């Protein structure tokens, strides 16, 4: 694509203030090559790569600090407990969690949503009640609610989206009623990148006394998230989407609501006292953390957030927005390519189909160039159904991607056309 010299200069200035070279050097996997080709990793919405700071935190924990938490009086157990609880505080600070709210460690966003669907659902949802989600949801914010509805005889209502991939708010407003028990929508769509108008969604629900859960798995890596300002009741996210390890995530929740919810899983750590006659439960957040938690990964999650804080989420967001604009324009140059998801407010996701090549063939050909994108339904089959496609090819951006990598992808897409068109 034609980029003027002035534009090129501008890019260099922007990149130098952000120090992209330093950031890239923090991620060992980005230095790997395959058959002489450097890795171009554009599958960050599936999982993001981990910087040395995270890898080192894991090594340090298993090398010098490994013990079970909340149990031992010995030095290692106390150290592990302190580190684990420090990680919880780091997460609360990073997301500006207000006082009186809780951070509960889970396996990820999926488990966090399941916890609320199961436990809040058990306490508050009955026959004829309604749960509102949207057409843009990840399967993990659809299926738990579907199962709850089946169990309770409740009804799932779905906010429709327009052709650009934006929720239709008038329809949402009309859906809210005294039967609505909870609204559960994503903050940012993983399939299309749409940044949803969650402030309005929360305001409208709260006006009717309805709590709101946000699936924040895709917002957390791309923008500053201020839970105090958002004022949602639950927020679910995963560490591996924010450059941390897999298998750990959080449920942020309003303590008043959490205290009125029955236990999700049971066993050690979530109890105060146990006898065969009666068991009493631990206080928050431990009441929802049954069994030995994922201590090492919780600590490494904290390290990932430290890493992001040092660079700044606003800086990362600005850098990625520029990259998204560049990528959106660059893809337009590819013959027969159609972008799916053209919302006004978007995070770094470029989902597309091509006239002559199936997404899986696109993914395969790009992989031959060591360019990693995702081809498929992105765990959001209803979104694909909405656009009448079985799948899309998706390039999703991270904090370490560059214009050169987008150029490499575009060049490979021209090759796809040569092979298939
Ligand atoms: C990745 C993702 C999830 C699921 O996260 P897990 O880590 O697999 O539990 C849910 N919602 C969105 C929007 C996601 O991107």
């Amino acid at each position: 694509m034609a980029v003027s010299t002035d534009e090129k200069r501008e890019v260099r200035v922007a990149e130098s203030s952000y120090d992209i070279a330093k950031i890239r050097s923090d991620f060992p996997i980005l230095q790997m090559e395959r058959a002489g080709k450097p890795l171009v990793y554009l599958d960050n919405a599936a999982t993001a790569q981990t910087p040395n700071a995270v890898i080192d935190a894991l090594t340090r924990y298993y090398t010098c600090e490994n013990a079970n938490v909340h149990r031992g009086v010995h030095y290692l157990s106390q150290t592990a407990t302190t580190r684990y609880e420090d990680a919880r505080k780091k997460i609360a600070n990073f997301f500006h969690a207000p006082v009186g709210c809780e951070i509960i460690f889970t396996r990820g966003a999926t488990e966090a949503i399941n916890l609320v669907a199961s436990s809040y659902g058990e306490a508050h949802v009955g026959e004829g009640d309604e749960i509102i989600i949207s057409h843009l949801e990840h399967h993990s914010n659809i299926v738990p609610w579907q199962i709850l509805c089946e169990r309770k005889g409740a009804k799932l209502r779905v906010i429709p989206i327009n052709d650009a991939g934006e929720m239709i708010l008038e329809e949402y407003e009309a859906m809210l009623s005294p039967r609505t028990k909870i609204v559960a929508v994503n903050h940012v769509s993983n399939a299309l990148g749409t940044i949803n108008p969650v402030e309005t969604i929360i305001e409208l629900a709260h006006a009717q006394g309805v709590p709101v859960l946000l699936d924040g798995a895709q917002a957390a890596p791309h923008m500053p998230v201020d839970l105090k300002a958002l004022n949602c009741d639950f927020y679910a996210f995963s560490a591996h989407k924010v450059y941390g390890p897999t298998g750990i995530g959080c449920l942020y929740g309003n303590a008043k609501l959490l205290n009125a919810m029955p236990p999700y899983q049971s066993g050690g750590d979530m109890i105060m006292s146990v006898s065969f006659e009666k068991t009493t439960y631990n206080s928050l957040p431990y009441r929802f953390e049954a069994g030995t938690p994922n201590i090492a990964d919780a600590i490494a999650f904290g390290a990932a957030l430290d890493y992001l804080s040092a660079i700044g989420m606003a800086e990362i967001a600005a850098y990625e927005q520029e990259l998204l604009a560049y990528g959106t324009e660059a893809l337009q140059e590819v013959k027969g390519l159609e972008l799916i998801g053209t919302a006004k407010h978007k995070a770094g996701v470029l989902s597309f189909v091509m006239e002559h090549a199936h997404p899986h063939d696109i993914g395969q050909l790009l992989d031959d160039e060591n360019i990693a994108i995702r081809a498929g339904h992105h765990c959001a089959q209803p979104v694909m159904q909405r656009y009448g496609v079985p799948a899309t090819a998706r390039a999703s951006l991270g904090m370490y991607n560059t214009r050169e990598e987008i150029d490499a992808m575009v060049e490979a897409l021209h090759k796809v056309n040569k092979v298939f068109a």
Side-chain angles (χ1 to χ4, degrees), residues 124-168:
H124 298 288
V125 176
E127 200 174 334
D129 285 340
E130 294 184 353
I131 290 158
I132 298 180
I133 62 170
S134 88
H135 210 121
L136 267 185
E137 302 309 316
H138 188 283
H139 294 161
S140 36
N141 199 33
I142 300 174
V143 187
W145 303 112
Q146 233 165 11
I147 289 175
L148 171 66
C149 286
E150 274 166 25
R151 202 171 82 215
K152 296 284 197 154
K155 191 170 171 213
L156 198 61
R157 307 287 310 264
V158 182
I159 308 167
I161 54 173
N162 62 22
D163 290 341
E166 299 163 322
M167 291 184 202
I168 303 172

Side-chain angles (χ1 to χ4, degrees), residues 44-47 106-114 136-141 185-191 215-219 221 236-241 245-249 374 378-379 394:
N44 296 285
T47 198
T106 62
R107 280 197 300 122
T110 303
E111 194 183 36
I113 297 166
N114 272 277
L136 267 185
E137 302 309 316
H138 188 283
H139 294 161
S140 36
N141 199 33
V185 294
N186 64 93
H187 193 169
V188 170
S189 154
N190 69 303
D215 169 0
Q218 263 336 303
F237 48 94
S238 290
H240 71 103
K241 304 278 176 87
T246 53
I248 184 91
R374 174 138 178 219
H378 319 298
C379 299
R394 180 188 70 186

Side-chain angles (χ1 to χ4, degrees), residues 232-369:
C232 59
D233 303 276
F234 300 105
Y235 200 85
F237 48 94
S238 290
H240 71 103
K241 304 278 176 87
V242 282
Y243 312 96
T246 53
I248 184 91
C250 284
L251 172 69
Y252 154 89
N254 175 320
K256 218 174 112 203
L257 290 176
L258 288 168
N259 266 321
M261 283 158 51
Y264 173 54
Q265 291 180 340
S266 47
D269 234 23
M270 57 76 72
I271 52 83
M272 190 72 77
S273 70
V274 177
S275 74
F276 291 118
E277 288 69 43
K278 177 145 186 71
T279 290
T280 57
Y281 305 130
N282 206 339
S283 55
L284 292 172
Y286 313 108
R287 198 150 67 81
F288 288 105
E289 291 181 2
T292 300
N294 187 349
I295 305 161
D297 290 319
I299 294 167
F301 185 4
L305 298 183
D306 283 345
Y307 178 77
L308 292 176
S309 296
I311 293 161
M313 283 314 296
E315 284 71 14
I316 292 169
Y319 177 80
E320 286 185 6
Q321 280 298 321
E322 194 197 39
L323 206 56
L324 175 67
Y326 181 84
T328 305
E329 206 181 314
L331 285 181
Q332 246 96 113
E333 309 261 305
V334 180
K335 237 177 75 211
L337 182 147
E338 188 198 344
L339 267 178
I340 306 273
T342 49
K344 212 179 295 145
H345 301 290
K346 269 184 74 172
V349 173
L350 295 159
S351 233
F352 58 89
V353 290
M354 289 172 78
E355 198 178 344
H356 299 292
H358 188 277
H360 287 105
D361 294 327
I362 302 171
Q364 198 60 56
L365 257 116
L366 262 58
D367 184 55
D368 292 344
E369 305 295 323

